[in-house]
Amino acid sequence: FALISLKKLTAQVNADTSRLLASVSKKTIAYRNVLEEANLIFPENLLDCKDQSLEYIKKFCETKRKYLIKTYQAGKAYFPKIAVIFKQYELPEELKMMMALESGFSGNVVSKAGAVGYWQMMGVAAREYGLKTSKNKDERRNFAKSTLAAAKYLRDRSLNYNSDILLMVASYNCGIGTIRNAFKKAHKSDGGFWDIKDFLPKETRNYVM
């Protein structure tokens, strides 16, 4: 009788425990899904390196919160205009963020290397894409004209890199030659950003992310 009672009690405890664990598990899964869906949706280009990307995003959000808010506010006046031009060249709308990274939406920025204007284009590249760069008239400081030149540049890089948006952005930062050398160092004839990431300058890796 005692053994039978003990078996019944054990069975009941196990059943209750199983129901409790199932309930907790469902709630945990639901809670976890809500967090993931609410806070972060990974773009397809980052899925292969999700863990690495997540670490960078968390760090950036913690240390650059004010910058993100400021960029979002300032971008309201510029992003829609950039998007219109980029759409004409069938470029991903996300690339409009590059102006914020390059110049902080200022046409008067001049880098130590000599890059000028909204898109921080060097003289050679600017002239190649139709901009005047004289002291009296530097069209890199003109929003519409420089954005049009940047769109043409990125369109050409899209053709070079099979529409790989990460490689397009990387090449804008470090140049086509650096990308070519990175592929050589990685012993690859072609591929994507993740294939050559470790052979790119740190500044470029951060810029792309």
Short mmCIF file of all heavy atoms in Angstrom, two decimals, residues 155-197:
data_model
loop_
_atom_site.label_atom_id
_atom_site.label_comp_id
_atom_site.label_asym_id
_atom_site.label_seq_id
_atom_site.Cartn_x
_atom_site.Cartn_y
_atom_site.Cartn_z
N ARG A 155 26.86 53.24 -57.49
CA ARG A 155 26.28 52.41 -58.54
C ARG A 155 27.37 51.61 -59.24
O ARG A 155 27.21 50.40 -59.51
CB ARG A 155 25.56 53.29 -59.56
CG ARG A 155 25.04 52.54 -60.80
CD ARG A 155 24.91 53.46 -61.99
NE ARG A 155 26.16 54.12 -62.31
CZ ARG A 155 26.26 55.17 -63.14
NH1 ARG A 155 25.18 55.68 -63.71
NH2 ARG A 155 27.45 55.71 -63.39
N ASP A 156 28.49 52.26 -59.54
CA ASP A 156 29.60 51.56 -60.19
C ASP A 156 30.18 50.48 -59.28
O ASP A 156 30.55 49.40 -59.74
CB ASP A 156 30.69 52.55 -60.58
CG ASP A 156 30.25 53.44 -61.74
OD1 ASP A 156 29.20 53.15 -62.36
OD2 ASP A 156 30.95 54.44 -62.02
N ARG A 157 30.26 50.76 -57.99
CA ARG A 157 30.77 49.75 -57.06
C ARG A 157 29.78 48.58 -56.94
O ARG A 157 30.18 47.44 -56.72
CB ARG A 157 31.01 50.38 -55.68
CG ARG A 157 32.03 51.49 -55.63
CD ARG A 157 33.43 51.05 -56.03
NE ARG A 157 33.65 50.94 -57.46
CZ ARG A 157 33.83 51.97 -58.29
NH1 ARG A 157 33.81 53.22 -57.83
NH2 ARG A 157 34.04 51.76 -59.57
N SER A 158 28.51 48.89 -57.09
CA SER A 158 27.50 47.83 -57.07
C SER A 158 27.74 46.86 -58.23
O SER A 158 27.62 45.63 -58.08
CB SER A 158 26.10 48.43 -57.18
OG SER A 158 25.11 47.43 -57.24
N LEU A 159 28.12 47.40 -59.39
CA LEU A 159 28.43 46.56 -60.55
C LEU A 159 29.71 45.77 -60.32
O LEU A 159 29.82 44.60 -60.69
CB LEU A 159 28.56 47.44 -61.80
CG LEU A 159 27.29 48.18 -62.24
CD1 LEU A 159 27.61 49.14 -63.37
CD2 LEU A 159 26.21 47.19 -62.65
N ASN A 160 30.69 46.42 -59.67
CA ASN A 160 31.98 45.76 -59.38
C ASN A 160 31.82 44.60 -58.40
O ASN A 160 32.48 43.55 -58.55
CB ASN A 160 32.97 46.74 -58.80
CG ASN A 160 33.42 47.81 -59.78
OD1 ASN A 160 33.68 48.93 -59.41
ND2 ASN A 160 33.51 47.47 -61.07
N TYR A 161 30.95 44.80 -57.39
CA TYR A 161 30.89 43.86 -56.27
C TYR A 161 29.58 43.10 -56.19
O TYR A 161 29.15 42.69 -55.13
CB TYR A 161 31.14 44.61 -54.97
CG TYR A 161 32.48 45.30 -54.92
CD1 TYR A 161 32.56 46.67 -54.62
CD2 TYR A 161 33.66 44.63 -55.21
CE1 TYR A 161 33.78 47.32 -54.59
CE2 TYR A 161 34.88 45.27 -55.19
CZ TYR A 161 34.94 46.62 -54.89
OH TYR A 161 36.14 47.27 -54.87
N ASN A 162 28.94 42.92 -57.36
CA ASN A 162 27.75 42.07 -57.38
C ASN A 162 26.66 42.53 -56.43
O ASN A 162 25.99 41.73 -55.78
CB ASN A 162 28.12 40.64 -57.02
CG ASN A 162 27.70 39.65 -58.07
OD1 ASN A 162 27.16 40.03 -59.08
ND2 ASN A 162 27.97 38.41 -57.82
N SER A 163 26.51 43.82 -56.28
CA SER A 163 25.49 44.43 -55.41
C SER A 163 25.68 44.09 -53.93
O SER A 163 24.73 44.17 -53.15
CB SER A 163 24.07 44.00 -55.85
OG SER A 163 23.82 44.44 -57.17
N ASP A 164 26.89 43.69 -53.54
CA ASP A 164 27.19 43.43 -52.13
C ASP A 164 27.31 44.78 -51.41
O ASP A 164 28.31 45.48 -51.53
CB ASP A 164 28.49 42.66 -52.01
CG ASP A 164 28.79 42.23 -50.57
OD1 ASP A 164 28.48 43.00 -49.64
OD2 ASP A 164 29.34 41.13 -50.38
N ILE A 165 26.28 45.15 -50.67
CA ILE A 165 26.21 46.47 -50.06
C ILE A 165 27.36 46.71 -49.08
O ILE A 165 27.87 47.84 -48.97
CB ILE A 165 24.85 46.68 -49.35
CG1 ILE A 165 24.70 48.13 -48.86
CG2 ILE A 165 24.65 45.70 -48.22
CD1 ILE A 165 23.33 48.45 -48.32
N LEU A 166 27.81 45.67 -48.39
CA LEU A 166 28.90 45.84 -47.43
C LEU A 166 30.23 46.11 -48.13
O LEU A 166 31.02 46.93 -47.66
CB LEU A 166 29.01 44.60 -46.54
CG LEU A 166 27.75 44.24 -45.75
CD1 LEU A 166 28.04 43.08 -44.79
CD2 LEU A 166 27.22 45.43 -44.96
N LEU A 167 30.47 45.46 -49.25
CA LEU A 167 31.69 45.73 -50.01
C LEU A 167 31.64 47.12 -50.65
O LEU A 167 32.65 47.81 -50.75
CB LEU A 167 31.88 44.68 -51.10
CG LEU A 167 32.54 43.35 -50.69
CD1 LEU A 167 32.71 42.45 -51.90
CD2 LEU A 167 33.89 43.59 -50.02
N MET A 168 30.45 47.53 -51.06
CA MET A 168 30.28 48.87 -51.64
C MET A 168 30.67 49.94 -50.61
O MET A 168 31.40 50.88 -50.91
CB MET A 168 28.83 49.07 -52.09
CG MET A 168 28.43 48.21 -53.29
SD MET A 168 26.63 48.01 -53.44
CE MET A 168 26.10 49.70 -53.66
N VAL A 169 30.18 49.75 -49.40
CA VAL A 169 30.48 50.70 -48.33
C VAL A 169 31.96 50.66 -47.96
O VAL A 169 32.59 51.70 -47.76
CB VAL A 169 29.61 50.39 -47.09
CG1 VAL A 169 30.03 51.25 -45.91
CG2 VAL A 169 28.13 50.62 -47.41
N ALA A 170 32.52 49.47 -47.90
CA ALA A 170 33.93 49.32 -47.56
C ALA A 170 34.82 50.02 -48.59
O ALA A 170 35.78 50.71 -48.24
CB ALA A 170 34.30 47.84 -47.47
N SER A 171 34.49 49.86 -49.86
CA SER A 171 35.30 50.46 -50.92
C SER A 171 35.22 51.98 -50.86
O SER A 171 36.19 52.67 -51.18
CB SER A 171 34.86 49.96 -52.29
OG SER A 171 33.60 50.50 -52.66
N TYR A 172 34.08 52.51 -50.46
CA TYR A 172 33.93 53.96 -50.35
C TYR A 172 34.87 54.50 -49.28
O TYR A 172 35.43 55.58 -49.40
CB TYR A 172 32.49 54.33 -50.02
CG TYR A 172 32.17 55.79 -50.25
CD1 TYR A 172 31.61 56.21 -51.45
CD2 TYR A 172 32.44 56.75 -49.29
CE1 TYR A 172 31.33 57.56 -51.69
CE2 TYR A 172 32.17 58.10 -49.52
CZ TYR A 172 31.61 58.49 -50.72
OH TYR A 172 31.36 59.82 -50.94
N ASN A 173 35.06 53.72 -48.25
CA ASN A 173 35.90 54.16 -47.13
C ASN A 173 37.39 54.00 -47.40
O ASN A 173 38.19 54.89 -47.11
CB ASN A 173 35.52 53.39 -45.86
CG ASN A 173 36.37 53.78 -44.68
OD1 ASN A 173 37.32 53.09 -44.33
ND2 ASN A 173 36.05 54.91 -44.05
N CYS A 174 37.78 52.86 -47.96
CA CYS A 174 39.22 52.58 -48.08
C CYS A 174 39.73 52.53 -49.50
O CYS A 174 40.95 52.46 -49.73
CB CYS A 174 39.57 51.28 -47.35
SG CYS A 174 38.85 49.80 -48.11
N GLY A 175 38.83 52.55 -50.48
CA GLY A 175 39.25 52.55 -51.87
C GLY A 175 39.25 51.16 -52.51
O GLY A 175 39.37 50.15 -51.83
N ILE A 176 39.12 51.17 -53.83
CA ILE A 176 39.05 49.92 -54.58
C ILE A 176 40.35 49.11 -54.45
O ILE A 176 40.32 47.89 -54.34
CB ILE A 176 38.79 50.21 -56.08
CG1 ILE A 176 37.48 50.98 -56.24
CG2 ILE A 176 38.72 48.92 -56.88
CD1 ILE A 176 37.22 51.46 -57.65
N GLY A 177 41.48 49.81 -54.45
CA GLY A 177 42.77 49.13 -54.37
C GLY A 177 42.92 48.34 -53.09
O GLY A 177 43.44 47.21 -53.09
N THR A 178 42.47 48.91 -51.97
CA THR A 178 42.57 48.22 -50.68
C THR A 178 41.69 46.97 -50.67
O THR A 178 42.08 45.93 -50.12
CB THR A 178 42.15 49.16 -49.54
OG1 THR A 178 42.99 50.33 -49.57
CG2 THR A 178 42.28 48.48 -48.19
N ILE A 179 40.52 47.07 -51.29
CA ILE A 179 39.63 45.90 -51.39
C ILE A 179 40.30 44.81 -52.22
O ILE A 179 40.28 43.63 -51.85
CB ILE A 179 38.28 46.29 -52.03
CG1 ILE A 179 37.56 47.35 -51.20
CG2 ILE A 179 37.41 45.05 -52.21
CD1 ILE A 179 37.12 46.89 -49.84
N ARG A 180 40.91 45.21 -53.32
CA ARG A 180 41.60 44.25 -54.19
C ARG A 180 42.72 43.54 -53.44
O ARG A 180 42.88 42.32 -53.52
CB ARG A 180 42.15 44.97 -55.42
CG ARG A 180 42.71 44.04 -56.49
CD ARG A 180 43.33 44.82 -57.64
NE ARG A 180 42.37 45.73 -58.25
CZ ARG A 180 42.49 47.04 -58.24
NH1 ARG A 180 43.54 47.61 -57.66
NH2 ARG A 180 41.59 47.81 -58.82
N ASN A 181 43.50 44.31 -52.69
CA ASN A 181 44.60 43.72 -51.93
C ASN A 181 44.10 42.79 -50.83
O ASN A 181 44.74 41.77 -50.53
CB ASN A 181 45.45 44.83 -51.31
CG ASN A 181 46.26 45.59 -52.36
OD1 ASN A 181 46.55 45.06 -53.42
ND2 ASN A 181 46.59 46.84 -52.05
N ALA A 182 42.96 43.14 -50.24
CA ALA A 182 42.39 42.30 -49.18
C ALA A 182 41.99 40.93 -49.74
O ALA A 182 42.20 39.90 -49.10
CB ALA A 182 41.18 42.98 -48.56
N PHE A 183 41.45 40.91 -50.96
CA PHE A 183 41.10 39.64 -51.59
C PHE A 183 42.36 38.81 -51.87
O PHE A 183 42.36 37.59 -51.71
CB PHE A 183 40.33 39.88 -52.89
CG PHE A 183 38.85 40.04 -52.69
CD1 PHE A 183 38.22 41.26 -52.89
CD2 PHE A 183 38.07 38.96 -52.30
CE1 PHE A 183 36.86 41.41 -52.71
CE2 PHE A 183 36.70 39.09 -52.10
CZ PHE A 183 36.10 40.32 -52.31
N LYS A 184 43.43 39.49 -52.27
CA LYS A 184 44.68 38.78 -52.53
C LYS A 184 45.22 38.16 -51.24
O LYS A 184 45.67 37.01 -51.23
CB LYS A 184 45.71 39.73 -53.11
CG LYS A 184 45.43 40.15 -54.55
CD LYS A 184 46.51 41.09 -55.07
CE LYS A 184 46.24 41.50 -56.52
NZ LYS A 184 47.28 42.44 -57.02
N LYS A 185 45.18 38.93 -50.15
CA LYS A 185 45.68 38.43 -48.87
C LYS A 185 44.82 37.27 -48.35
O LYS A 185 45.32 36.38 -47.66
CB LYS A 185 45.69 39.56 -47.85
CG LYS A 185 46.73 40.63 -48.14
CD LYS A 185 46.64 41.77 -47.12
CE LYS A 185 47.66 42.86 -47.44
NZ LYS A 185 47.54 44.02 -46.49
N ALA A 186 43.54 37.30 -48.68
CA ALA A 186 42.64 36.24 -48.25
C ALA A 186 42.69 35.04 -49.20
O ALA A 186 42.04 34.02 -48.96
CB ALA A 186 41.20 36.76 -48.18
N HIS A 187 43.50 35.16 -50.27
CA HIS A 187 43.64 34.10 -51.29
C HIS A 187 42.30 33.75 -51.91
O HIS A 187 41.94 32.59 -52.07
CB HIS A 187 44.27 32.84 -50.67
CG HIS A 187 45.61 33.09 -50.06
ND1 HIS A 187 46.74 33.40 -50.81
CD2 HIS A 187 46.01 33.11 -48.76
CE1 HIS A 187 47.78 33.59 -50.00
NE2 HIS A 187 47.37 33.43 -48.76
N LYS A 188 41.56 34.80 -52.26
CA LYS A 188 40.25 34.62 -52.90
C LYS A 188 40.19 35.50 -54.15
O LYS A 188 40.68 36.63 -54.15
CB LYS A 188 39.12 34.98 -51.95
CG LYS A 188 38.97 34.01 -50.78
CD LYS A 188 37.80 34.39 -49.91
CE LYS A 188 37.59 33.38 -48.79
NZ LYS A 188 37.16 32.05 -49.30
N SER A 189 39.54 34.96 -55.17
CA SER A 189 39.38 35.74 -56.40
C SER A 189 38.13 36.60 -56.35
O SER A 189 38.02 37.62 -57.03
CB SER A 189 39.31 34.80 -57.62
OG SER A 189 38.25 33.87 -57.47
N ASP A 190 37.17 36.16 -55.55
CA ASP A 190 35.96 36.95 -55.34
C ASP A 190 35.33 36.53 -54.00
O ASP A 190 35.89 35.71 -53.28
CB ASP A 190 34.96 36.75 -56.49
CG ASP A 190 34.57 35.28 -56.66
OD1 ASP A 190 34.81 34.48 -55.75
OD2 ASP A 190 34.03 34.94 -57.72
N GLY A 191 34.18 37.10 -53.69
CA GLY A 191 33.53 36.80 -52.42
C GLY A 191 32.87 38.04 -51.85
O GLY A 191 32.66 39.03 -52.56
N GLY A 192 32.57 37.99 -50.55
CA GLY A 192 31.89 39.10 -49.90
C GLY A 192 32.73 39.74 -48.82
O GLY A 192 33.89 39.37 -48.60
N PHE A 193 32.13 40.67 -48.12
CA PHE A 193 32.82 41.42 -47.07
C PHE A 193 33.37 40.49 -45.99
O PHE A 193 34.50 40.66 -45.53
CB PHE A 193 31.85 42.43 -46.45
CG PHE A 193 32.35 43.09 -45.20
CD1 PHE A 193 33.30 44.09 -45.26
CD2 PHE A 193 31.88 42.70 -43.95
CE1 PHE A 193 33.78 44.70 -44.10
CE2 PHE A 193 32.35 43.30 -42.79
CZ PHE A 193 33.31 44.31 -42.87
N TRP A 194 32.59 39.50 -45.59
CA TRP A 194 33.00 38.64 -44.49
C TRP A 194 34.21 37.79 -44.87
O TRP A 194 34.95 37.33 -44.00
CB TRP A 194 31.83 37.74 -44.08
CG TRP A 194 30.63 38.51 -43.65
CD1 TRP A 194 29.41 38.56 -44.29
CD2 TRP A 194 30.51 39.39 -42.53
NE1 TRP A 194 28.57 39.40 -43.62
CE2 TRP A 194 29.20 39.91 -42.55
CE3 TRP A 194 31.38 39.78 -41.51
CZ2 TRP A 194 28.75 40.81 -41.58
CZ3 TRP A 194 30.94 40.67 -40.54
CH2 TRP A 194 29.64 41.18 -40.58
N ASP A 195 34.42 37.60 -46.16
CA ASP A 195 35.56 36.80 -46.61
C ASP A 195 36.88 37.55 -46.45
O ASP A 195 37.95 36.93 -46.34
CB ASP A 195 35.39 36.40 -48.09
CG ASP A 195 34.20 35.50 -48.30
OD1 ASP A 195 34.08 34.51 -47.56
OD2 ASP A 195 33.39 35.77 -49.21
N ILE A 196 36.82 38.89 -46.48
CA ILE A 196 38.06 39.68 -46.42
C ILE A 196 38.12 40.63 -45.23
O ILE A 196 39.07 41.39 -45.10
CB ILE A 196 38.23 40.50 -47.73
CG1 ILE A 196 37.08 41.52 -47.87
CG2 ILE A 196 38.30 39.59 -48.94
CD1 ILE A 196 37.30 42.54 -48.97
N LYS A 197 37.13 40.55 -44.37
CA LYS A 197 37.02 41.50 -43.25
C LYS A 197 38.32 41.62 -42.46
O LYS A 197 38.77 42.73 -42.14
CB LYS A 197 35.88 41.10 -42.32
CG LYS A 197 35.69 42.04 -41.13
CD LYS A 197 34.55 41.56 -40.24
CE LYS A 197 34.94 40.35 -39.44
NZ LYS A 197 35.95 40.64 -38.39
#
